[in-house]
Amino acid sequence: MTTGRITLDIGGGIARLTIRRADKLNALDAGMVDAIVGLCRQIEHSTVRVAIMTGEGDKSFSAGGDISAWSGWSPEDFGRHWVRDGHAAFDALARLSVPLIAVLNGHCLGGGLELAACADLRIAEAHVRIGQPETALGIIPGWSGTQRAVRRFGSQIVRRMALFGETFGAEDAARLGLVDQVVARGEGIAAAETIAARVLSRAPRATELTKMLVNAAEGEETARVLESFAGTIAAASPDLAEGLAAFREKRQPCYGQEE
Ligand code: COA
């Protein structure tokens, strides 16, 4: 399955998302951002149990949002579309029901870091460079780089990158908790496949529910998690069957009498 410059391949219980714009270091333009929501929906409607996301080539995971496109946006549209659409896309990724592993195979900057922050696990290849250069360009980290990134990595790390311009290599990133594992250049996907196999060996429903609970604990999607759990319980109750039957038969529902 392909949507423009981001491809989705599904097989063996694993969804593989690849950003395919290597000539621009996998910078994300508006069309790519828009595609992410639909791709996430395809993953949700499939039977996959784990997802892996990486960038094309061996130089860059993603060098962030497409800087060259920014001059075409009015300030209002920048906030209304660029930032808002980015949030919708990255929220969908962070809230995938299956665990998401990011393989950071090079530059992971700005929007690239915000993208990586959506994953449940980050594997860094040895040559990775991680940072938030936005304020040097006169813009803010607007795809949740001051929000989800703070929740997931801690505010001090974000301060160091976003306010002071620090860029971290793989070992420092692992020490600071920005990434979970460091592997040699070119070995990220193999490492991710090994971890994905471990996910596949575990119970899918319990894994999904646990991810939802961890996300809720982080404030990632508390409202949806609450309503999902309640919705599942309500849908399993005989009341729903009676309510639907009454609607179909054009009568008042009978939910039983109080003792
Ligand atoms: N948006 C648009 N295009 C980008 C890009 C971005 N974020 N990052 C890289 N590119 C493009 C470059 O313009 C260049 O295109 P060109 O060949 O048509 O000139 C191509 O990708 C290769 O990048 P280049 O700068 O030549 O590679 P490099 O190895 O010399 O430098 C970086 C790599 C990552 C240090 C440098 O590309 C860079 O600073 N990119 C911007 C990173 C950034 O500020 N991201 C935050 C945005 S949210």
PDB file of all heavy atoms in Angstrom, residues 44-64:
ATOM      1  N   GLU A  44      -5.020   0.441  11.716  1.00  0.00           N
ATOM      2  CA  GLU A  44      -6.045   0.091  12.708  1.00  0.00           C
ATOM      3  C   GLU A  44      -7.045  -0.927  12.164  1.00  0.00           C
ATOM      4  O   GLU A  44      -7.574  -1.738  12.909  1.00  0.00           O
ATOM      5  CB  GLU A  44      -6.810   1.345  13.174  1.00  0.00           C
ATOM      6  CG  GLU A  44      -5.985   2.380  13.917  1.00  0.00           C
ATOM      7  CD  GLU A  44      -5.415   1.882  15.242  1.00  0.00           C
ATOM      8  OE1 GLU A  44      -5.738   0.762  15.671  1.00  0.00           O
ATOM      9  OE2 GLU A  44      -4.609   2.626  15.830  1.00  0.00           O
ATOM     10  N   HIS A  45      -7.305  -0.858  10.870  1.00  0.00           N
ATOM     11  CA  HIS A  45      -8.297  -1.768  10.286  1.00  0.00           C
ATOM     12  C   HIS A  45      -7.667  -3.074   9.802  1.00  0.00           C
ATOM     13  O   HIS A  45      -8.343  -3.897   9.203  1.00  0.00           O
ATOM     14  CB  HIS A  45      -9.061  -1.073   9.158  1.00  0.00           C
ATOM     15  CG  HIS A  45     -10.025  -0.039   9.685  1.00  0.00           C
ATOM     16  ND1 HIS A  45     -11.304  -0.332  10.098  1.00  0.00           N
ATOM     17  CD2 HIS A  45      -9.864   1.279   9.927  1.00  0.00           C
ATOM     18  CE1 HIS A  45     -11.895   0.766  10.542  1.00  0.00           C
ATOM     19  NE2 HIS A  45     -11.040   1.770  10.450  1.00  0.00           N
ATOM     20  N   SER A  46      -6.390  -3.233  10.028  1.00  0.00           N
ATOM     21  CA  SER A  46      -5.719  -4.480   9.640  1.00  0.00           C
ATOM     22  C   SER A  46      -5.584  -5.370  10.885  1.00  0.00           C
ATOM     23  O   SER A  46      -6.067  -5.019  11.958  1.00  0.00           O
ATOM     24  CB  SER A  46      -4.330  -4.182   9.064  1.00  0.00           C
ATOM     25  OG  SER A  46      -3.449  -3.819  10.113  1.00  0.00           O
ATOM     26  N   THR A  47      -4.909  -6.488  10.699  1.00  0.00           N
ATOM     27  CA  THR A  47      -4.731  -7.390  11.848  1.00  0.00           C
ATOM     28  C   THR A  47      -3.313  -7.324  12.409  1.00  0.00           C
ATOM     29  O   THR A  47      -2.895  -8.213  13.146  1.00  0.00           O
ATOM     30  CB  THR A  47      -5.044  -8.844  11.420  1.00  0.00           C
ATOM     31  OG1 THR A  47      -4.184  -9.168  10.314  1.00  0.00           O
ATOM     32  CG2 THR A  47      -6.489  -9.007  11.019  1.00  0.00           C
ATOM     33  N   VAL A  48      -2.578  -6.277  12.054  1.00  0.00           N
ATOM     34  CA  VAL A  48      -1.194  -6.218  12.525  1.00  0.00           C
ATOM     35  C   VAL A  48      -1.164  -6.041  14.037  1.00  0.00           C
ATOM     36  O   VAL A  48      -2.099  -5.527  14.647  1.00  0.00           O
ATOM     37  CB  VAL A  48      -0.362  -5.093  11.854  1.00  0.00           C
ATOM     38  CG1 VAL A  48      -0.418  -5.201  10.357  1.00  0.00           C
ATOM     39  CG2 VAL A  48      -0.768  -3.725  12.332  1.00  0.00           C
ATOM     40  N   ARG A  49      -0.042  -6.445  14.616  1.00  0.00           N
ATOM     41  CA  ARG A  49       0.078  -6.387  16.075  1.00  0.00           C
ATOM     42  C   ARG A  49       1.223  -5.489  16.524  1.00  0.00           C
ATOM     43  O   ARG A  49       1.405  -5.252  17.707  1.00  0.00           O
ATOM     44  CB  ARG A  49       0.307  -7.804  16.601  1.00  0.00           C
ATOM     45  CG  ARG A  49      -0.752  -8.810  16.087  1.00  0.00           C
ATOM     46  CD  ARG A  49      -1.526  -9.392  17.196  1.00  0.00           C
ATOM     47  NE  ARG A  49      -0.651  -9.914  18.206  1.00  0.00           N
ATOM     48  CZ  ARG A  49      -0.221 -11.173  18.246  1.00  0.00           C
ATOM     49  NH1 ARG A  49      -0.617 -12.033  17.340  1.00  0.00           N
ATOM     50  NH2 ARG A  49       0.565 -11.566  19.208  1.00  0.00           N
ATOM     51  N   VAL A  50       1.993  -4.998  15.570  1.00  0.00           N
ATOM     52  CA  VAL A  50       3.114  -4.126  15.906  1.00  0.00           C
ATOM     53  C   VAL A  50       3.489  -3.352  14.637  1.00  0.00           C
ATOM     54  O   VAL A  50       3.219  -3.827  13.525  1.00  0.00           O
ATOM     55  CB  VAL A  50       4.309  -4.957  16.459  1.00  0.00           C
ATOM     56  CG1 VAL A  50       4.792  -5.990  15.467  1.00  0.00           C
ATOM     57  CG2 VAL A  50       5.468  -4.077  16.925  1.00  0.00           C
ATOM     58  N   ALA A  51       4.049  -2.154  14.809  1.00  0.00           N
ATOM     59  CA  ALA A  51       4.424  -1.338  13.641  1.00  0.00           C
ATOM     60  C   ALA A  51       5.865  -0.848  13.779  1.00  0.00           C
ATOM     61  O   ALA A  51       6.356  -0.629  14.895  1.00  0.00           O
ATOM     62  CB  ALA A  51       3.479  -0.149  13.511  1.00  0.00           C
ATOM     63  N   ILE A  52       6.509  -0.723  12.624  1.00  0.00           N
ATOM     64  CA  ILE A  52       7.889  -0.213  12.571  1.00  0.00           C
ATOM     65  C   ILE A  52       7.901   0.973  11.608  1.00  0.00           C
ATOM     66  O   ILE A  52       7.301   0.900  10.533  1.00  0.00           O
ATOM     67  CB  ILE A  52       8.870  -1.306  12.069  1.00  0.00           C
ATOM     68  CG1 ILE A  52       8.881  -2.502  13.020  1.00  0.00           C
ATOM     69  CG2 ILE A  52      10.279  -0.735  11.899  1.00  0.00           C
ATOM     70  CD1 ILE A  52       9.678  -3.698  12.502  1.00  0.00           C
ATOM     71  N   MET A  53       8.573   2.032  12.002  1.00  0.00           N
ATOM     72  CA  MET A  53       8.612   3.240  11.159  1.00  0.00           C
ATOM     73  C   MET A  53      10.075   3.657  10.974  1.00  0.00           C
ATOM     74  O   MET A  53      10.849   3.670  11.929  1.00  0.00           O
ATOM     75  CB  MET A  53       7.818   4.320  11.903  1.00  0.00           C
ATOM     76  CG  MET A  53       8.038   5.725  11.504  1.00  0.00           C
ATOM     77  SD  MET A  53       6.847   6.813  12.358  1.00  0.00           S
ATOM     78  CE  MET A  53       7.568   6.957  13.992  1.00  0.00           C
ATOM     79  N   THR A  54      10.438   3.987   9.744  1.00  0.00           N
ATOM     80  CA  THR A  54      11.809   4.435   9.494  1.00  0.00           C
ATOM     81  C   THR A  54      11.837   5.378   8.302  1.00  0.00           C
ATOM     82  O   THR A  54      10.789   5.665   7.692  1.00  0.00           O
ATOM     83  CB  THR A  54      12.753   3.223   9.281  1.00  0.00           C
ATOM     84  OG1 THR A  54      14.109   3.679   9.373  1.00  0.00           O
ATOM     85  CG2 THR A  54      12.535   2.572   7.925  1.00  0.00           C
ATOM     86  N   GLY A  55      13.049   5.842   7.959  1.00  0.00           N
ATOM     87  CA  GLY A  55      13.204   6.721   6.803  1.00  0.00           C
ATOM     88  C   GLY A  55      13.963   6.010   5.700  1.00  0.00           C
ATOM     89  O   GLY A  55      14.792   5.130   5.960  1.00  0.00           O
ATOM     90  N   GLU A  56      13.688   6.416   4.482  1.00  0.00           N
ATOM     91  CA  GLU A  56      14.374   5.826   3.327  1.00  0.00           C
ATOM     92  C   GLU A  56      15.864   6.205   3.338  1.00  0.00           C
ATOM     93  O   GLU A  56      16.218   7.305   3.746  1.00  0.00           O
ATOM     94  CB  GLU A  56      13.716   6.390   2.067  1.00  0.00           C
ATOM     95  CG  GLU A  56      14.245   5.851   0.761  1.00  0.00           C
ATOM     96  CD  GLU A  56      13.569   6.541  -0.425  1.00  0.00           C
ATOM     97  OE1 GLU A  56      13.518   7.789  -0.451  1.00  0.00           O
ATOM     98  OE2 GLU A  56      13.078   5.833  -1.314  1.00  0.00           O
ATOM     99  N   GLY A  57      16.686   5.297   2.846  1.00  0.00           N
ATOM    100  CA  GLY A  57      18.114   5.595   2.754  1.00  0.00           C
ATOM    101  C   GLY A  57      18.833   5.350   4.066  1.00  0.00           C
ATOM    102  O   GLY A  57      18.272   4.786   5.008  1.00  0.00           O
ATOM    103  N   ASP A  58      20.094   5.805   4.119  1.00  0.00           N
ATOM    104  CA  ASP A  58      20.871   5.546   5.335  1.00  0.00           C
ATOM    105  C   ASP A  58      21.398   6.828   5.968  1.00  0.00           C
ATOM    106  O   ASP A  58      22.271   6.807   6.815  1.00  0.00           O
ATOM    107  CB  ASP A  58      22.034   4.594   5.023  1.00  0.00           C
ATOM    108  CG  ASP A  58      23.072   5.242   4.110  1.00  0.00           C
ATOM    109  OD1 ASP A  58      22.792   6.334   3.564  1.00  0.00           O
ATOM    110  OD2 ASP A  58      24.154   4.662   3.947  1.00  0.00           O
ATOM    111  N   LYS A  59      20.816   7.954   5.547  1.00  0.00           N
ATOM    112  CA  LYS A  59      21.347   9.224   6.029  1.00  0.00           C
ATOM    113  C   LYS A  59      20.426   9.916   7.033  1.00  0.00           C
ATOM    114  O   LYS A  59      20.886  10.671   7.885  1.00  0.00           O
ATOM    115  CB  LYS A  59      21.588  10.144   4.822  1.00  0.00           C
ATOM    116  CG  LYS A  59      22.584  11.241   5.093  1.00  0.00           C
ATOM    117  CD  LYS A  59      22.932  12.034   3.850  1.00  0.00           C
ATOM    118  CE  LYS A  59      23.739  13.271   4.238  1.00  0.00           C
ATOM    119  NZ  LYS A  59      23.845  14.232   3.170  1.00  0.00           N
ATOM    120  N   SER A  60      19.136   9.662   6.888  1.00  0.00           N
ATOM    121  CA  SER A  60      18.195  10.460   7.665  1.00  0.00           C
ATOM    122  C   SER A  60      16.922   9.677   7.987  1.00  0.00           C
ATOM    123  O   SER A  60      16.365   9.012   7.115  1.00  0.00           O
ATOM    124  CB  SER A  60      17.823  11.711   6.846  1.00  0.00           C
ATOM    125  OG  SER A  60      16.986  12.561   7.569  1.00  0.00           O
ATOM    126  N   PHE A  61      16.496   9.776   9.244  1.00  0.00           N
ATOM    127  CA  PHE A  61      15.139   9.319   9.590  1.00  0.00           C
ATOM    128  C   PHE A  61      14.182  10.373   9.049  1.00  0.00           C
ATOM    129  O   PHE A  61      13.375  10.112   8.171  1.00  0.00           O
ATOM    130  CB  PHE A  61      15.027   9.179  11.112  1.00  0.00           C
ATOM    131  CG  PHE A  61      13.633   8.935  11.607  1.00  0.00           C
ATOM    132  CD1 PHE A  61      12.971   7.760  11.320  1.00  0.00           C
ATOM    133  CD2 PHE A  61      12.975   9.892  12.374  1.00  0.00           C
ATOM    134  CE1 PHE A  61      11.665   7.531  11.780  1.00  0.00           C
ATOM    135  CE2 PHE A  61      11.688   9.675  12.849  1.00  0.00           C
ATOM    136  CZ  PHE A  61      11.035   8.499  12.545  1.00  0.00           C
ATOM    137  N   SER A  62      14.305  11.581   9.555  1.00  0.00           N
ATOM    138  CA  SER A  62      13.612  12.735   8.978  1.00  0.00           C
ATOM    139  C   SER A  62      14.272  14.009   9.500  1.00  0.00           C
ATOM    140  O   SER A  62      14.461  14.168  10.708  1.00  0.00           O
ATOM    141  CB  SER A  62      12.128  12.742   9.326  1.00  0.00           C
ATOM    142  OG  SER A  62      11.553  13.978   8.916  1.00  0.00           O
ATOM    143  N   ALA A  63      14.607  14.906   8.566  1.00  0.00           N
ATOM    144  CA  ALA A  63      15.209  16.199   8.941  1.00  0.00           C
ATOM    145  C   ALA A  63      14.133  17.222   9.271  1.00  0.00           C
ATOM    146  O   ALA A  63      14.404  18.424   9.304  1.00  0.00           O
ATOM    147  CB  ALA A  63      16.116  16.698   7.839  1.00  0.00           C
ATOM    148  N   GLY A  64      12.892  16.744   9.508  1.00  0.00           N
ATOM    149  CA  GLY A  64      11.848  17.621  10.016  1.00  0.00           C
ATOM    150  C   GLY A  64      10.845  18.071   8.981  1.00  0.00           C
ATOM    151  O   GLY A  64      10.740  17.505   7.892  1.00  0.00           O
TER     152      GLY A  64
END
